[in-house]
Amino acid sequence: MSQNDTTTRIAHVFSGTFVHSTPSAAVEILKDSVLGVDDEGKIAFIEKDPDVVSLSKIWGFETAEIKVLEQHEFLMPGMVDTHIHASQYSYSGTALDLPLLEWLSTYTFPVEAKYKDLDFANNVYTKVVRRTLKNGTTTACYFATIHTDASLLLGELADKFGQRALVGKVCMDCNSAVPQYKESSNECKEETDRFIIELLKKEYPNVKPVVTPRFAPSCSASLLSELGAIASNNKLHIQSHISENKKEVELVKTLFPDCKSYTDVYLKHNLLTDKTVMAHGCHLTDEELKIFHERGSSISHCPNSNISICSGLLNVRNVLNHKVKLGLGTDIAGGYSPSILDAMRRTLDTSKALTIQDPQHQTLTFEEVFRLATLGGSEALSLDDQIGNFVVGKDFDALRVNVCVPDGPIDLFPGDGPKVILEKFLNLGDDRNITEVYVAGRQVVPFSDT
Ligand code: GUN
Ligand code: ZN
């Protein structure tokens, strides 16, 4: 038991069951445990079967302040959405009848062009931040649009509602089917610089910029190089898309004939770093996965989108065997659900479909998928020194889950223990079961205005 120093003040104490992942255990269930959060939002202690009275004296809290979880409740780490287009939330749940390139020209670019209007942006961005928080997304890696001011507004709203976020102003300077929805290469560079400077100037504790070339077909080689340099000079995260759909992979071959592969396009332009997250990767070769491993770059697996717009089935087992970091993404609006619980289910479905095709394929387990949604996501965003599981010194990003809420979606039966309760929540639960959400120790759900 560690000793308190005089400066640490305890802001929350919970007792009961805690469920999280560690590098060695996909699911670790800590029963009869007590967790304390300090006033900077960090986990101060987590003890199994402690003597609560002596713990309270050491850390200077009152035992009456302890939030006691019931038998059918547990605390888990907040979920990480490693890839979501905030700007596409207005049409999520619709427009899933075209493959990627046609889908972008027909639905996506015309909608994204509307974010010139800050009132429009404010309405959609407020809704997407609230909806994802309510569904347990404590960290989101967002694509906004090409508009700097609207992208800054997304950062402001994530900060206001208390979501941890990486926010990307989208860069694209070619091949847009909507002529007004692109910038010149120079505008992209200048506006990205302005976006980064202005967002960093706000000093939001948990909202940071991410350099965001849309994908290789939307960017000239010179723009890709500029963005690689901006990320490197400012030590920033990078996000984009890769090998989502076969026609897209063919298009990249014709646009970048000097590059060996789609991965080589990003590699050559200094866009594959240990802070890079690339969405999809359904059609990456083993050679390309080796490059991801060497560079420490990661993949955001977006199974709802991969199926909804018929892009492909990512073999997550193969990615993990290559020791490439991987997290889950909703990819709103290519994916129709804003929930990472849905991403976990679609990840399992995809893995089972691969097993149907090839019985030798080693199907993912629900425990592994739980890890991908939490610790895996934090690793994919290179935030695992701060978040992802319940380790002393990390920020307290957590969900209070109650599987027995009135009129809820889950029934329990005698003998259902903590592991079954977790599995039922992952397969059957929804936002009604997520009764409280914390980010960096701040309770952000229920919302303070409702
Ligand atoms: N590739 C380039 N842009 C996009 C996008 O907005 N959504 C998806 N799913 N793929 C993309
Ligand atoms: Zn995407």
Side-chain angles (χ1 to χ4, degrees):
M1 197 175 290
S2 39
Q3 207 70 27
N4 188 12
D5 56 53
T6 48
T7 52
T8 307
R9 281 169 180 277
I10 297 302
H12 308 279
V13 183
F14 296 89
S15 77
T17 301
F18 303 90
V19 181
H20 74 159
S21 302
T22 69
S24 59
V27 169
E28 182 174 62
I29 297 178
L30 303 161
K31 289 205 282 183
D32 303 315
S33 296
V34 180
L35 181 150
V37 182
D38 70 23
D39 60 355
E40 291 182 345
K42 295 194 187 304
I43 299 168
F45 59 84
I46 177 162
E47 304 273 346
K48 193 163 164 43
D49 289 319
D51 172 346
V52 176
V53 173
S54 42
L55 198 64
S56 71
K57 288 194 181 121
I58 291 169
W59 289 97
F61 63 86
E62 301 293 327
T63 53
E65 294 164 18
I66 300 176
K67 297 183 181 114
V68 180
L69 305 179
E70 307 270 341
Q71 205 67 29
H72 46 269
E73 289 187 293
F74 62 90
L75 228 61
M76 63 173 273
M79 293 185 280
V80 180
D81 189 339
T82 58
H83 184 81
I84 169 166
H85 297 261
S87 50
Q88 297 171 16
Y89 182 62
S90 62
Y91 69 99
S92 61
T94 71
L96 298 169
D97 57 342
L98 291 174
L100 178 66
L101 300 176
E102 293 82 349
W103 178 85
L104 287 171
S105 314
T106 310
Y107 303 118
T108 305
F109 295 164
V111 169
E112 289 193 14
K114 296 195 214 170
Y115 285 74
K116 223 171 124 67
D117 174 352
L118 285 175
D119 290 333
F120 181 80
N122 187 45
N123 181 29
V124 183
Y125 287 164
T126 299
K127 291 195 166 103
V128 71
V129 171
R130 291 172 66 105
R131 177 68 63 194
T132 52
L133 268 177
K134 218 165 117 57
N135 278 278
T137 298
T138 49
T139 299
C141 187
Y142 283 120
F143 273 61
T145 61
I146 65 170
H147 311 94
T148 304
D149 293 326
S151 306
L152 289 166
L153 177 60
L154 175 58
E156 183 183 327
L157 291 165
D159 176 70
K160 171 177 156 190
F161 290 106
Q163 191 170 51
R164 189 183 299 279
L166 293 170
V167 178
K169 173 236 173 290
V170 175
C171 293
M172 44 198 284
D173 69 344
C174 53
N175 299 322
S176 173
V178 176
Q180 76 276 20
Y181 193 55
K182 68 170 183 207
E183 294 174 302
S184 69
S185 173
N186 211 34
E187 278 167 339
C188 283
K189 183 192 155 342
E190 283 176 4
E191 286 299 293
T192 295
D193 282 337
R194 178 165 85 84
F195 173 70
I196 292 165
I197 290 166
E198 299 218 353
L199 191 58
L200 292 176
K201 212 162 62 190
K202 303 280 183 188
E203 297 189 351
Y204 300 134
N206 301 312
V207 177
K208 301 282 173 268
V210 45
V211 173
T212 306
R214 176 165 218 121
F215 68 156
S218 291
C219 299
S220 63
S222 67
L223 175 58
L224 291 175
S225 294
E226 291 282 10
L227 295 176
I230 290 176
S232 155
N233 293 338
N234 298 281
K235 300 187 175 49
L236 293 177
H237 283 82
I238 298 167
Q239 62 177 348
S240 191
H241 298 87
I242 195 164
S243 292
E244 177 174 358
N245 153 302
K246 284 190 177 159
K247 256 176 86 179
E248 171 210 10
V249 177
E250 288 309 309
L251 176 62
V252 170
K253 271 189 199 152
T254 64
L255 293 171
F256 296 88
D258 298 338
C259 292
K260 285 199 272 280
S261 63
Y262 202 156
T263 299
D264 194 39
V265 175
Y266 292 131
L267 183 67
K268 282 220 164 76
H269 297 93
N270 288 323
L271 288 162
L272 281 190
T273 75
D274 60 1
K275 290 172 93 174
T276 297
V277 58
M278 288 284 167
H280 305 285
C282 304
H283 306 288
L284 291 173
T285 63
D286 287 355
E287 256 46 66
E288 291 178 282
L289 287 174
K290 282 183 196 138
I291 298 172
F292 268 75
H293 170 69
E294 282 159 19
R295 304 295 305 165
S297 303
S298 55
I299 289 177
S300 170
H301 176 43
C302 304
N304 189 317
S305 171
N306 290 344
I307 295 165
S308 292
I309 55 172
C310 297
S311 298
L313 302 176
L314 174 66
N315 186 333
V316 171
R317 176 68 66 206
N318 190 43
V319 175
L320 296 179
N321 285 343
H322 281 81
K323 301 208 176 327
V324 174
K325 298 181 288 179
L326 183 139
L328 305 185
T330 56
D331 194 28
I332 291 288
Y336 57 77
S337 169
S339 162
I340 289 293
L341 284 172
D342 170 86
M344 286 193 237
R345 294 166 196 164
R346 303 286 86 83
T347 298
L348 284 170
D349 290 350
T350 300
S351 184
K352 287 172 183 175
L354 291 170
T355 301
I356 293 168
Q357 285 175 0
D358 171 13
Q360 305 282 38
H361 171 261
Q362 192 192 347
T363 318
L364 296 171
T365 63
F366 83 84
E367 291 95 335
E368 287 179 292
V369 169
F370 172 80
R371 173 155 62 191
L372 297 178
T374 54
L375 187 59
S378 75
E379 290 166 354
L381 299 182
S382 286
L383 294 174
D384 51 311
D385 56 338
Q386 273 182 71
I387 56 163
N389 57 2
F390 297 135
V391 168
V392 170
K394 286 197 183 185
D395 283 6
F396 181 67
D397 285 17
L399 314 181
R400 181 171 181 165
V401 177
N402 180 351
V403 290
C404 289
V405 285
D407 290 323
I410 300 172
D411 289 310
L412 287 188
F413 294 91
D416 285 354
K419 189 92 172 254
V420 168
I421 288 178
L422 172 67
E423 190 175 4
K424 285 193 173 182
F425 170 64
L426 299 184
N427 280 316
L428 302 168
D430 60 33
D431 57 343
R432 288 169 291 180
N433 302 108
I434 301 173
T435 56
E436 295 174 5
V437 178
Y438 295 83
V439 177
R442 167 178 166 200
Q443 189 176 335
V444 297
V445 172
F447 299 117
S448 51
D449 59 1
T450 49

